[in-house]
Amino acid sequence: MIKPIYVLNGPNLNRLGVREPEIYGRTTLSEIETMCREAAGGQPIEFRQSNREYELIEWIHEAIDRAGGIIINPAAFTFTSIALLDALKMFPGPIIELHISNIHRREAIYHESLVSPVATAVIAGLGAQGYPLAVRAIQHLTS
Ligand code: CA2
């Protein structure tokens, strides 16, 4: 049975394409979802966004039982959430930490990811295009 890929998005990413296009581009989250589904071919994608840490943790727990891989853009929780780190540690498959912008070219508060130590790989700075690449990478890692 083909397992779904979970694509989880953290706080404020529901505003993509609307504000700060010079940093985050003009692609909306809904367009990114379409890009992920196209990249996945027939493989199911669970594409979700929440502004609540609690909800993201619940979805990681769900993914532990169901998913072949996780792609997560934790947004600001990247730098604050040991709870997300602890939840991701329990996932047995590949995890890709994804950022639209190159966090290392930005202010110092964006440099220290708490999530990277448990990520299989990190994609940052490729804009919305990073998402379909991450989907293909998860497929490659699980094939
Ligand atoms: O580049 C990324 O994908 C980030 O994860 C985005 C986060 C930021 O805290 C990370 O350092 C890098 C912020 C997401 C804010 O989303 C917005 C969307 C539209 C307009 C303004 C903010």
Side-chain angles (χ1 to χ4, degrees), residues 12 15-16 19-20 24 73 75-76 79 99-101 103 110:
N12 298 309
R15 307 294 292 168
L16 273 182
R19 298 272 164 81
E20 299 186 66
Y24 300 114
N73 183 345
F79 315 102
H99 301 283
I100 293 164
S101 61
I103 53 176
Y110 296 115

Side-chain angles (χ1 to χ4, degrees), residues 10-129:
N12 298 309
L13 289 166
N14 52 321
R15 307 294 292 168
L16 273 182
V18 183
R19 298 272 164 81
E20 299 186 66
E22 67 286 358
I23 301 175
Y24 300 114
R26 295 196 183 274
T27 311
T28 65
L29 199 61
S30 158
E31 289 167 337
I32 289 174
E33 177 174 356
T34 302
M35 290 159 72
C36 287
R37 291 191 193 286
E38 283 172 5
Q43 184 167 8
I45 296 280
E46 292 287 346
F47 192 97
R48 302 184 189 169
Q49 186 276 332
S50 180
N51 295 323
R52 299 188 183 95
E53 191 176 15
Y54 155 83
E55 202 155 27
L56 290 161
I57 291 163
E58 291 288 308
W59 290 340
I60 293 168
H61 292 175
E62 190 185 303
I64 289 163
D65 298 328
R66 291 191 62 219
I70 296 177
I71 297 163
I72 184 163
N73 183 345
F77 293 147
T78 308
F79 315 102
T80 62
S81 180
I82 292 171
L84 274 186
L85 171 70
D86 287 343
L88 288 168
K89 271 183 187 166
M90 292 186 262
F91 185 68
I95 297 168
I96 297 185
E97 176 188 350
L98 187 144
H99 301 283
I100 293 164
S101 61
N102 180 352
I103 53 176
H104 300 289
R105 283 181 70 177
R106 302 185 61 191
E107 304 95 300
I109 53 162
Y110 296 115
H111 292 176
E112 206 60 53
S113 167
L114 295 179
V115 172
S116 293
V118 292
T120 310
V122 180
I123 294 175
L126 293 177
Q129 208 54 45

